Short mmCIF file of all heavy atoms in Angstrom, two decimals:
data_model
loop_
_atom_site.label_atom_id
_atom_site.label_comp_id
_atom_site.label_asym_id
_atom_site.label_seq_id
_atom_site.Cartn_x
_atom_site.Cartn_y
_atom_site.Cartn_z
N ASN A 458 5.94 -2.64 22.70
CA ASN A 458 4.50 -2.28 22.30
C ASN A 458 3.92 -3.49 21.60
O ASN A 458 4.58 -4.23 20.98
CB ASN A 458 4.57 -1.15 21.21
CG ASN A 458 5.15 0.03 21.85
OD1 ASN A 458 5.18 0.25 23.06
ND2 ASN A 458 5.64 1.09 20.99
N LEU A 478 2.83 -0.62 26.10
CA LEU A 478 1.59 -0.18 25.36
C LEU A 478 1.01 -1.33 24.63
O LEU A 478 1.62 -1.94 23.76
CB LEU A 478 2.02 0.93 24.30
CG LEU A 478 1.04 1.26 23.20
CD1 LEU A 478 -0.16 1.91 23.82
CD2 LEU A 478 1.65 2.16 22.15
N ARG A 480 -2.02 -1.85 22.31
CA ARG A 480 -2.98 -1.07 21.56
C ARG A 480 -4.20 -1.92 21.38
O ARG A 480 -4.26 -2.72 20.47
CB ARG A 480 -2.37 -0.64 20.21
CG ARG A 480 -1.10 0.25 20.20
CD ARG A 480 -0.72 0.52 18.74
NE ARG A 480 0.12 1.78 18.66
CZ ARG A 480 1.44 1.61 18.55
NH1 ARG A 480 2.08 0.53 18.53
NH2 ARG A 480 2.10 2.90 18.40
N GLU A 482 -7.01 -1.30 20.23
CA GLU A 482 -7.82 -1.04 18.99
C GLU A 482 -7.57 -2.00 17.87
O GLU A 482 -8.39 -2.24 17.02
CB GLU A 482 -7.68 0.35 18.42
CG GLU A 482 -6.25 0.86 17.96
CD GLU A 482 -5.44 1.27 19.16
OE1 GLU A 482 -5.85 1.14 20.24
OE2 GLU A 482 -4.32 1.69 18.91
N ARG A 516 -3.98 0.00 26.76
CA ARG A 516 -4.53 1.34 26.32
C ARG A 516 -5.98 1.11 25.81
O ARG A 516 -6.14 0.19 24.99
CB ARG A 516 -3.63 1.98 25.28
CG ARG A 516 -4.35 3.23 24.66
CD ARG A 516 -3.44 4.01 23.71
NE ARG A 516 -3.43 3.27 22.39
CZ ARG A 516 -2.71 3.64 21.38
NH1 ARG A 516 -1.85 4.76 21.59
NH2 ARG A 516 -2.90 3.20 20.20
N ASP A 519 -8.29 3.39 20.86
CA ASP A 519 -7.84 4.59 20.31
C ASP A 519 -8.18 4.60 18.81
O ASP A 519 -7.42 4.21 17.92
CB ASP A 519 -6.24 4.61 20.44
CG ASP A 519 -5.68 5.94 19.82
OD1 ASP A 519 -6.49 6.82 19.44
OD2 ASP A 519 -4.44 6.03 19.79
N LYS A 524 -7.29 5.52 12.30
CA LYS A 524 -7.80 4.22 12.62
C LYS A 524 -9.34 4.27 12.54
O LYS A 524 -10.01 4.61 13.51
CB LYS A 524 -7.33 3.84 14.03
CG LYS A 524 -5.83 3.78 14.17
CD LYS A 524 -5.36 3.71 15.57
CE LYS A 524 -3.89 3.89 15.73
NZ LYS A 524 -3.53 4.42 17.03
N ARG A 542 -11.61 11.58 18.12
CA ARG A 542 -10.85 10.41 18.16
C ARG A 542 -10.50 10.04 19.61
O ARG A 542 -10.73 10.85 20.48
CB ARG A 542 -9.52 10.66 17.37
CG ARG A 542 -8.70 11.81 17.84
CD ARG A 542 -7.32 11.88 17.16
NE ARG A 542 -6.44 10.81 17.66
CZ ARG A 542 -5.14 10.75 17.51
NH1 ARG A 542 -4.62 11.71 16.78
NH2 ARG A 542 -4.47 9.81 17.95
N MET A 613 -2.04 8.79 28.57
CA MET A 613 -1.07 8.97 27.54
C MET A 613 -0.91 10.56 27.24
O MET A 613 -2.05 11.22 27.10
CB MET A 613 -1.39 8.33 26.30
CG MET A 613 -1.14 6.78 26.43
SD MET A 613 -1.21 5.95 24.75
CE MET A 613 0.30 6.60 24.00
N GLU A 615 -0.14 13.00 24.82
CA GLU A 615 0.11 13.08 23.32
C GLU A 615 -0.29 14.46 22.78
O GLU A 615 -0.10 14.64 21.53
CB GLU A 615 -0.85 12.00 22.65
CG GLU A 615 -0.71 10.70 23.24
CD GLU A 615 -1.32 9.60 22.43
OE1 GLU A 615 -0.70 9.07 21.46
OE2 GLU A 615 -2.55 9.29 22.64
N ILE A 635 4.29 8.86 27.45
CA ILE A 635 4.34 9.82 26.32
C ILE A 635 4.14 9.11 24.95
O ILE A 635 4.76 8.18 24.71
CB ILE A 635 5.66 10.60 26.31
CG1 ILE A 635 5.70 11.53 27.50
CG2 ILE A 635 5.82 11.44 25.01
CD1 ILE A 635 6.86 12.47 27.56
N GLY A 636 3.06 9.41 24.33
CA GLY A 636 2.86 8.87 22.96
C GLY A 636 3.62 9.84 21.97
O GLY A 636 3.01 10.80 21.46
N GLY A 637 4.87 9.56 21.78
CA GLY A 637 5.75 10.45 20.97
C GLY A 637 5.29 10.71 19.60
O GLY A 637 5.50 11.80 19.04
N ASN A 638 4.63 9.74 18.95
CA ASN A 638 4.24 10.00 17.57
C ASN A 638 3.22 10.99 17.52
O ASN A 638 3.35 11.97 16.63
CB ASN A 638 3.65 8.73 17.01
CG ASN A 638 4.51 7.42 17.23
OD1 ASN A 638 5.69 7.56 17.23
ND2 ASN A 638 3.88 6.19 17.37
N ASP A 639 2.16 10.98 18.28
CA ASP A 639 1.18 12.09 18.29
C ASP A 639 1.79 13.40 18.88
O ASP A 639 1.60 14.40 18.36
CB ASP A 639 -0.01 11.64 19.03
CG ASP A 639 -0.96 10.88 18.18
OD1 ASP A 639 -1.23 11.38 17.02
OD2 ASP A 639 -1.42 9.75 18.54
N LEU A 640 2.48 13.21 19.97
CA LEU A 640 3.00 14.51 20.71
C LEU A 640 3.92 15.25 19.62
O LEU A 640 3.78 16.48 19.53
CB LEU A 640 3.81 14.06 21.86
CG LEU A 640 4.26 15.28 22.70
CD1 LEU A 640 3.11 16.12 23.22
CD2 LEU A 640 5.19 14.89 23.85
N ARG A 649 1.86 13.19 11.00
CA ARG A 649 2.60 11.86 10.99
C ARG A 649 2.36 10.98 9.87
O ARG A 649 3.10 10.08 9.59
CB ARG A 649 2.44 11.23 12.31
CG ARG A 649 1.07 10.74 12.51
CD ARG A 649 0.83 10.18 13.97
NE ARG A 649 1.01 8.74 13.99
CZ ARG A 649 0.73 8.10 15.14
NH1 ARG A 649 0.08 8.64 16.18
NH2 ARG A 649 0.87 6.81 15.12
N CYS A 686 6.56 5.99 24.78
CA CYS A 686 6.23 4.81 23.95
C CYS A 686 5.99 5.01 22.48
O CYS A 686 5.46 4.25 21.74
CB CYS A 686 5.01 4.03 24.51
SG CYS A 686 3.49 4.90 24.41
N GLY A 687 6.51 6.11 21.99
CA GLY A 687 6.38 6.42 20.47
C GLY A 687 7.42 5.68 19.75
O GLY A 687 8.34 5.00 20.35
N GLU A 688 7.37 5.80 18.38
CA GLU A 688 8.39 5.12 17.64
C GLU A 688 9.87 5.42 17.84
O GLU A 688 10.76 4.62 17.82
CB GLU A 688 8.22 5.46 16.10
CG GLU A 688 6.92 4.73 15.48
CD GLU A 688 7.03 3.21 15.58
OE1 GLU A 688 8.02 2.72 15.08
OE2 GLU A 688 6.18 2.61 16.14
C1 PEP B 821 1.95 7.60 19.89
O1 PEP B 821 1.13 8.48 19.45
O2 PEP B 821 3.16 7.77 20.04
C2 PEP B 821 1.47 6.23 20.26
C3 PEP B 821 2.31 5.41 20.87
O3 PEP B 821 0.24 5.86 19.90
P1 PEP B 821 -0.21 5.56 18.31
O4 PEP B 821 1.05 5.47 17.55
O5 PEP B 821 -0.90 4.25 18.52
O6 PEP B 821 -1.04 6.74 18.13
#
Side-chain angles (χ1 to χ4, degrees):
N458 297 339
L478 165 66
R480 293 181 163 104
E482 62 277 6
R516 172 174 79 184
D519 182 7
K524 297 169 191 155
R542 56 173 290 197
M613 285 192 74
E615 307 192 87
I635 292 187
N638 307 334
D639 274 311
L640 186 62
R649 64 190 266 195
C686 68
E688 288 298 307

